[in-house]
Amino acid sequence: MAVSPVLVIKTVDDSAVGVRARLYDDFVEHEIVLNSVIAYWWANNLPPVVKFLELFESVIKRTINELMPHKNLKIKYEVKADDELENATSLEINLIEVAADETGFKIDGKQLILNGLAKSSEDHESNEFVKTFEKTIETPDIVLKKYQEMKK
């Protein structure tokens, strides 16, 4: 019986999001330090929820590539927010599927909930937003070659 790689997503004291990929005894782990990135997004008037989703995908891609170099990462997740993503202050991500070049990952910590990502005003009306994203993120050949060299 083949062992599936595992992707673990967890919050660390509401100040960071940990992303860990594991296969047998090998693992790679990265953290997204929320205070730093949120302060940067606020200071530059960038939509925190949109930027967090971009960063989250990127960190998953990088983490898995360091463990298992791959060309294509398929990721499927559902997002629930308290408003359209550009104006949302809270976010719930439910990971549905993650696969690197057709190798599926078991997902531990499928749900991630973050609050206070953006400043909201008193008169802010929220409109619940729910959408499922399904993406294939390609690793450029030159980057894939570097990851493969790192694994040797």
Side-chain angles (χ1 to χ4, degrees):
M1 180 169 93
V3 174
S4 294
V6 178
L7 180 67
V8 180
I9 309 295
K10 63 182 179 180
T11 54
V12 182
D13 301 329
D14 292 332
S15 65
V17 173
V19 177
R20 174 187 267 203
R22 185 180 72 231
L23 180 61
Y24 299 108
D25 291 335
D26 293 337
F27 72 92
V28 176
E29 186 170 34
H30 293 284
E31 275 191 356
I32 300 170
V33 179
L34 295 172
N35 293 343
S36 302
V37 294
I38 291 172
Y40 175 80
W41 295 329
W42 286 358
N44 291 284
N45 293 320
L46 299 170
V49 170
V50 172
K51 293 310 220 177
F52 180 80
L53 290 173
E54 291 171 2
L55 179 60
F56 186 62
E57 290 174 2
S58 175
V59 170
I60 289 173
K61 175 78 171 158
R62 175 182 174 200
T63 302
I64 293 174
N65 242 332
E66 289 180 11
L67 180 72
M68 298 173 49
H70 60 277
K71 183 67 176 166
N72 293 302
L73 181 74
K74 181 180 178 186
I75 184 167
K76 183 176 181 181
Y77 58 93
E78 180 186 58
V79 170
K80 295 179 184 176
D82 62 346
D83 204 339
E84 293 296 319
L85 296 182
E86 291 76 17
N87 301 317
T89 61
S90 66
L91 173 69
E92 178 182 319
I93 301 172
N94 294 298
L95 280 171
I96 299 166
E97 180 183 2
V98 176
D101 287 341
E102 307 302 321
T103 300
F105 276 72
K106 179 181 176 278
I107 303 169
D108 188 4
K110 292 182 180 204
Q111 186 179 65
L112 177 64
I113 298 173
L114 301 172
N115 294 304
L117 292 174
K119 302 170 190 171
S120 64
S121 60
E122 295 284 326
D123 60 345
H124 176 76
E125 271 189 49
S126 62
N127 302 309
E128 186 177 56
F129 175 89
V130 178
K131 183 174 180 179
T132 299
F133 293 91
E134 190 166 355
K135 298 181 178 182
T136 299
I137 307 168
E138 187 175 330
T139 304
D141 289 336
I142 193 164
V143 175
L144 180 57
K145 184 177 177 184
K146 289 291 182 192
Y147 281 121
Q148 290 168 334
E149 289 172 1
M150 284 173 44
K151 281 301 287 181
K152 290 181 182 177

